[in-house]
Amino acid sequence: GTGEAFKVCVDLNKMQEVRDFKNAMPHLFKSRNVTNGDHYSVVQGLEDCQQANPFINCASCECMYWCCPLGPVQMCLCFLNPCTYCIYAEMDGKKKAFNKDIRSLMAKYNIKAEIRDDGLETFAYFDPL
């Protein structure tokens, strides 16, 4: 077969998904003959995004930033706060780099690769073309 589309969550609370992706090449990659080196490049891009999260050393602090003390109201306030965009700037830069570099790398295998926010989570999507 051609392999199935899949996604990998790069949020701090789901770091195991990137580890699992690192340790086992997905069927889509195998079916498209993605080299181990290119698989590693994708893994490195995902890990770079995770490492750029400003709360990498305290994942629970991210929850506190977004949710405490006002719950959903706090989240709205955080989205309105320009500081939020400053503290996440490095992570946004890594996502843009992933989309530029990994997208072109995967294109040679006829795989569309893209990292994007989906609701409150961030995923890397891999779709066969």
Side-chain angles (χ1 to χ4, degrees), residues 55-74:
F55 297 101
I56 185 68
N57 294 317
C58 182
S60 60
C61 293
E62 186 170 35
C63 179
M64 288 188 279
Y65 176 81
W66 286 97
C67 300
C68 295
L70 304 171
V73 173
Q74 179 72 24

Side-chain angles (χ1 to χ4, degrees), residues 1-121:
T2 60
E4 303 261 336
F6 67 95
K7 64 183 180 179
V8 178
C9 185
V10 296
D11 291 347
L12 295 181
N13 62 332
K14 297 193 179 161
M15 291 181 80
Q16 187 61 43
E17 284 193 34
V18 174
R19 285 188 210 108
D20 292 344
F21 175 75
K22 180 179 187 174
N23 294 328
M25 189 182 291
H27 182 68
L28 175 62
F29 281 25
K30 289 178 188 175
S31 71
R32 299 295 174 97
N33 298 314
V34 173
T35 65
N36 287 334
D38 286 346
H39 177 236
Y40 178 77
S41 294
V42 174
V43 168
Q44 192 62 54
L46 296 175
E47 289 176 339
D48 287 350
C49 288
Q50 282 183 325
Q51 293 298 319
N53 185 309
F55 297 101
I56 185 68
N57 294 317
C58 182
S60 60
C61 293
E62 186 170 35
C63 179
M64 288 188 279
Y65 176 81
W66 286 97
C67 300
C68 295
L70 304 171
V73 173
Q74 179 72 24
M75 182 176 288
C76 293
L77 293 174
C78 287
F79 277 118
L80 295 173
N81 183 350
C83 294
T84 298
Y85 299 95
C86 292
I87 64 173
Y88 280 95
E90 182 182 357
M91 187 175 176
D92 288 341
K94 295 293 183 183
K95 288 188 228 178
K96 287 176 184 167
F98 180 95
N99 282 340
K100 178 180 170 277
D101 300 337
I102 303 303
R103 184 178 290 154
S104 62
L105 178 69
M106 291 287 97
K108 69 183 179 184
Y109 299 107
N110 289 320
I111 297 172
K112 179 183 176 191
E114 179 183 26
I115 194 166
R116 67 178 186 268
D117 296 330
D118 186 4
L120 299 177
E121 296 180 304

